[in-house]
Amino acid sequence: MSGKILLVEDDSAIATVIIAALEDDGFTIDRCSSIAARNRLLDADAYDVMLTDVMLEDGDGLASMDDAKARAPEMPVIVLSAQNTLDTAVRASDKDAFEYFPKPFDLDELVQAVRQAAGQGSRATAAPEAEGDGMPLVGRSQAMQGVYRMITRVLRNDLTVLVTGESGTGKELVAEAIHELGSRRTGPFVAVNAGAIPADLIESELFGHEKGAFTGAIAQAIGKFEQANGGTLFLDEIGDMPAEAQTRLLRALQSGQIRRVGGRQEIAVDVRIIAATNRNLAPMIAAGDFREDLFYRLNVVPIELPPLRERREDIDVLSQHFLAQAAEDGLPRRQLSADAVELLEARNWRGNVRELRNVIYRLALMARDDLIDGASLSDIIGTETKPGGEGDANGFAGALDQWLAENSPQSGALYHSALAAFEKPLIEHALSETGGNQLRASKLLGINRNTLRKRIGDLDIEPDRFTRPV
């Protein structure tokens, strides 16, 4: 490649690495570290691509982007930022950025983006400004950066999105963010939980029904598709949708038309579909429980939300966010001490962000002092540590040593006795992690589903007690 690049970066170490990589790829680079210097260089020369940091020596690189665009309207801009929030990603998108890279970034991906920008020019058009300053998603962890980047990439189009992730990770918040920040934000946002509607009513719920279509249909009813016309329809827990409803949903997605139950007229609908599930659809497709063609219709743009245990560095900022929300909801204004945050970061959080929010609200309600320290936190919610952590009796090995010390199996029975002792809690853990879903639990354990069912019966395990409420 060849081309001239303007790098606006006030961190000399980062700038050195970027310049070396781009020069190795054949580019010529001019570098500055301020908005004023950037404007002087743009006045004096033409550049194929500009790479800019957000926080510069003399101000906000994004806030001043209009000045740069006035000097070079056709120049693609790649934004680099250590302010790794959804707000920054959306601001970059609003400013017509060709690409957004949160720091730290993959250098090879950055070089590839520069190549594309130098060869293609800007690939986006300005998006409408988002209303309000609050962002529905919170967190600056590396695990969330891919989520933010994917969200910004679908704001200007109507591509179907499939959001996956464990229960409580915030899948509906992703759908709301795409709707509220995108081009359909003036239209309705309609959410429906496919797993919470009885199988014999879900088609009526989605597509509506005519008067007299079935017993109890005393009047015409408008379904969710028509209610969402011109906006976004969020189909939560799509993996729990009955087979017949899957067929009708596929037909609606393919044709852009629906027919009310008991009706004869085809009704055109203009909706953006965002679906979500906490289930792994691949084994369901293999088992014939979910239509493969529907999966491909839904999985145009996949967005996977990380569980809270994979973004523990966000627990502090999430906790502060929920404390502020609790105060807005009328609870006392509280703060967390450093040792309280450490205890929160050490918990398992099987219920993910939803569980953290509930815990923070409980703390805000029950704490005696405005500053919640570690001791107060433990008194209110108890103590818990990450599996295998320092507070876990040296993890699994320590538990096994303790069991061996306390038990004396007969000669020749040690293996089976130890296996029997540890198999039940292992299976119970898998069921707990998957909300009682035996198919997902068998996959987590790496055993056959029928084998798991047999062991559940042999070990007198009650799988229903692990089922989480919707």
Side-chain angles (χ1 to χ4, degrees):
M1 290 293 297
S2 64
K4 195 163 187 178
I5 309 299
L6 175 57
L7 174 61
V8 190
E9 173 59 70
D10 60 356
D11 188 313
S12 297
I14 293 176
T16 299
V17 172
I18 293 174
I19 290 171
L22 291 176
E23 286 181 340
D24 285 346
D25 212 55
F27 291 102
T28 301
I29 297 93
D30 285 344
R31 182 236 169 172
C32 62
S33 57
S34 68
I35 295 169
R38 176 201 71 188
N39 290 344
R40 288 195 297 270
L41 287 169
L42 289 173
D43 286 336
D45 207 343
Y47 294 92
D48 296 290
V49 184
M50 181 173 77
L51 281 71
T52 180
D53 195 4
V54 174
M55 302 309 296
L56 299 168
E57 292 178 353
D58 56 350
D60 187 320
L62 275 178
S64 65
M65 190 61 68
D66 290 343
D67 288 341
K69 285 292 186 181
R71 291 170 165 82
E74 302 301 321
M75 178 185 62
V77 177
I78 295 176
V79 176
L80 315 172
S81 177
Q83 307 298 312
N84 300 338
T85 65
L86 177 58
D87 177 63
T88 306
V90 171
R91 287 179 62 213
S93 178
D94 288 346
K95 293 298 183 181
D96 195 16
F98 182 87
E99 185 58 278
Y100 162 74
F101 282 92
K103 299 177 181 178
F105 48 78
D106 185 290
L107 195 57
D108 290 336
E109 288 187 11
L110 179 63
V111 172
Q112 180 62 28
V114 173
R115 289 176 187 164
Q116 293 174 349
Q120 300 174 8
S122 180
R123 65 183 177 190
T125 57
E129 294 183 5
E131 295 180 350
D133 295 327
M135 289 291 112
L137 292 166
V138 176
R140 300 188 177 189
S141 64
Q142 195 66 26
M144 288 299 293
Q145 296 312 307
V147 175
Y148 296 157
R149 290 176 68 187
M150 291 301 294
I151 288 174
T152 60
R153 287 179 177 180
V154 298
L155 295 182
R156 298 181 178 90
N157 55 64
D158 286 333
L159 295 177
T160 303
V161 178
L162 178 62
V163 188
T164 58
E166 296 178 7
S167 179
T169 50
K171 295 184 288 297
E172 185 165 355
L173 292 179
V174 170
E176 291 175 353
I178 293 171
H179 174 77
E180 292 170 5
L181 301 172
S183 58
R184 287 182 175 259
R185 64 193 179 97
T186 57
F189 177 84
V190 178
V192 57
N193 189 323
I197 304 171
D200 58 341
L201 294 179
I202 190 165
E203 290 190 46
S204 174
E205 186 77 11
L206 289 176
F207 308 115
H209 63 256
E210 299 290 354
K211 180 180 178 180
F214 50 83
T215 303
I218 59 175
Q220 183 190 76
I222 302 300
K224 300 298 185 183
F225 265 86
E226 289 184 78
Q227 293 174 30
N229 198 35
T232 302
L233 177 60
F234 175 55
L235 301 173
D236 200 7
E237 302 303 345
I238 193 70
D240 295 330
M241 179 173 283
E244 187 174 349
Q246 291 179 32
T247 301
R248 290 201 61 185
L249 174 61
L250 176 63
R251 188 180 303 118
L253 297 181
Q254 290 173 333
S255 67
Q257 296 182 323
I258 59 102
R259 182 185 297 176
R260 299 186 190 124
V261 177
R264 296 183 178 182
Q265 180 183 1
E266 295 288 342
I267 302 170
V269 287
D270 173 27
V271 297
R272 183 194 195 141
I273 298 294
I274 302 177
T277 180
N278 62 8
R279 305 180 68 175
N280 185 346
L281 296 181
M284 295 182 62
I285 293 171
D289 295 328
F290 197 84
R291 291 187 63 120
E292 186 173 18
D293 45 5
L294 176 58
F295 171 76
Y296 290 125
R297 277 281 176 179
L298 296 173
N299 196 42
V300 178
V301 181
I303 298 179
E304 182 174 3
L305 273 176
L308 190 55
R309 62 181 175 274
E310 293 179 7
R311 48 180 294 218
R312 292 183 185 275
E313 59 267 47
D314 286 337
I315 289 177
D316 187 3
V317 67
L318 282 166
S319 299
Q320 305 304 329
H321 174 71
F322 292 140
L323 283 173
Q325 280 191 345
E328 292 176 1
D329 290 341
L331 295 175
R333 189 170 295 277
R334 310 290 193 188
Q335 291 182 310
L336 291 169
S337 68
D339 62 328
V341 172
E342 289 180 1
L343 288 174
L344 290 174
E345 291 174 341
R347 294 179 71 87
N348 292 323
W349 300 116
R350 292 187 179 90
N352 292 295
V353 179
R354 182 188 296 133
E355 182 186 359
L356 174 63
R357 181 185 184 278
N358 293 343
V359 164
I360 294 300
Y361 268 66
R362 191 188 320 159
L363 291 171
L365 174 67
M366 300 182 65
R368 293 185 295 272
D369 302 312
D370 290 340
L371 180 65
I372 304 172
D373 59 15
S376 177
L377 183 146
S378 297
D379 287 343
I380 295 172
I381 66 173
T383 58
E384 181 181 280
T385 57
K386 291 177 284 187
E390 293 179 1
D392 195 29
N394 297 319
F396 186 84
L400 178 59
D401 288 341
Q402 183 177 352
W403 182 87
L404 290 171
E406 295 174 354
N407 293 272
S408 301
Q410 296 179 353
S411 177
L414 177 59
Y415 173 81
H416 292 289
S417 297
L419 185 62
F422 284 88
E423 185 181 17
K424 183 173 183 177
L426 185 64
I427 291 176
E428 289 179 337
H429 171 77
L431 290 169
S432 176
E433 288 291 304
T434 58
N437 186 299
Q438 295 183 33
L439 179 61
R440 294 175 60 208
S442 65
K443 184 176 180 181
L444 178 63
L445 291 164
I447 63 177
N448 183 274
R449 185 179 184 181
N450 292 331
T451 301
L452 175 61
R453 285 176 174 170
K454 183 177 185 305
R455 297 308 297 155
I456 286 174
D458 292 344
L459 296 169
D460 293 325
I461 297 173
E462 298 177 6
D464 290 344
R465 68 187 177 93
F466 297 100
T467 302
R468 301 191 191 107
V470 177

